[in-house]
Amino acid sequence: MPDFDPGYGREPYATLVRSYPGPETYPTADFRTEWGPVFHRGRLDGTARVLVIGQDPATHEAVTRRILVGTAGRRFQGFLAKLGITTSYVMVNTYLYSVYGQSGGNAHAHDPAIAAYRHAWLDALVGANRIEAVIALGTLADTAFHAWQAASPAGAAYTGAYRHVLHPTYPDSAAASSGADPAQATAKLLADWNAALDALHPAIAHPDQPVPLTHYGSGLAPADLVTIPEADLPAGLPAWMRSDETWASRQGATPADKRATLLVRIPTDLRPF
Ligand code: URA
């Protein structure tokens, strides 16, 4: 039987999703507010043991309305599997909206109103779950975690494990921004993730499926990418939206058109026709 994410009907999430900040808090010059907020992925039923803080939603997330479902999500789903965590996780992003432009992300790292809403989510998630580890993906997520610890009593009281790791798409962004060799950048990512596995594996007292600690090699093998579980996505989404292929991209001849246009295309090998 197909499974699905039941969404935000329960408190405190119902109130959180009713009261999300808009362009008054997330300036439209720096965030793609026109695609709406994307709140989370994973368990909201009190069973999460690992809390992941990502950065901001991208193209696939704008369609599925859940975070970390594209390349970054599948890479990190593989990391969680190496901790024996296959269902007991919950993920939120540093930003509710996709960052637009080079500097937007850093410029708003300390905005009080952005942080206040994020803290409300982190408080709710840590309050409702027995979180054993928090993992921040990238420096903005690391900043967000420390801001929460400094500002919120629940943050200050959190005593579980914490690890800041390189963002799953670090190799892609390093290659694009500074011409880094993708293979070397991937090796750097995986060395960082191996060190994180060493630290976190013993800290997870209640894995879903206990697994021996295994490291990544120097490159990402196909088995290192794990498909997003059906139970993480809204009811009725077709299976190809969870596939390991790219199916959404921004298109347009002008910056405005590109910002306004998402092309969604079923991968050819996944078409039932
Ligand atoms: N998609 C997300 O939702 N978050 C990230 O950090 C990257 C991609």
Side-chain angles (χ1 to χ4, degrees):
M1 254 208 294
D3 209 347
F4 62 93
D5 174 6
Y8 305 103
R10 292 188 196 192
E11 293 296 351
Y13 308 106
T15 297
L16 280 169
V17 300
R18 282 198 184 98
S19 55
Y20 67 82
E24 75 295 335
T25 300
Y26 279 91
T28 299
D30 291 332
F31 294 97
R32 294 183 173 92
T33 51
E34 64 276 13
W35 289 95
V38 191
F39 296 103
H40 102 296
R41 176 159 76 82
R43 312 287 78 73
L44 296 180
D45 60 359
T47 62
R49 298 283 187 177
V50 174
L51 168 59
V52 178
I53 308 177
Q55 187 175 300
D56 68 305
T59 50
H60 294 78
E61 290 80 9
V63 179
T64 61
R65 313 313 297 175
R66 294 294 182 272
I67 70 163
L68 284 160
V69 299
T71 304
R74 290 191 303 275
R75 286 181 188 166
F76 207 67
Q77 200 74 28
F79 180 95
L80 292 176
K82 284 179 175 286
L83 294 175
I85 294 292
T86 52
T87 56
S88 302
Y89 54 80
V90 66
M91 309 178 179
V92 289
N93 274 331
T94 302
Y95 295 127
L96 273 186
Y97 300 94
S98 175
V99 172
Y100 182 71
Q102 296 288 318
S103 57
N106 291 331
H108 298 280
H110 301 283
D111 284 13
I114 289 180
Y117 184 74
R118 186 174 58 231
H119 294 171
W121 267 91
L122 294 172
D123 286 353
L125 293 172
V126 168
N129 295 282
R130 278 180 283 167
I131 298 295
E132 296 175 351
V134 177
I135 310 173
L137 311 183
T139 39
L140 287 167
D142 183 45
T143 302
F145 174 79
H146 290 298
W148 172 66
Q149 284 219 300
S152 150
Y158 173 72
T159 54
Y162 173 69
R163 188 83 184 187
H164 161 211
V165 297
L166 286 176
H167 191 276
T169 54
Y170 164 78
D172 315 67
S173 45
S177 65
S178 62
D181 172 47
Q184 277 179 13
T186 301
K188 182 172 168 183
L189 172 81
L190 298 179
D192 179 67
W193 283 15
N194 282 338
L197 286 171
D198 290 341
L200 292 172
H201 195 275
I204 308 292
H206 299 88
D208 299 308
Q209 290 172 4
V211 284
L213 174 58
T214 58
H215 281 160
Y216 290 94
S218 56
L220 275 166
D224 292 334
L225 271 73
V226 171
T227 301
I228 307 305
E230 198 171 37
D232 286 14
L233 294 178
L237 256 61
W240 55 263
M241 287 196 176
R242 298 182 294 110
S243 81
D244 294 334
E245 294 179 59
T246 300
W247 50 262
S249 59
R250 297 192 200 282
Q251 304 278 327
T254 65
D257 268 349
K258 195 167 178 189
R259 188 170 165 158
T261 311
L262 268 183
L263 176 70
V264 173
R265 196 201 306 260
I266 305 176
T268 44
D269 57 325
L270 299 176
R271 297 177 189 174
F273 49 84

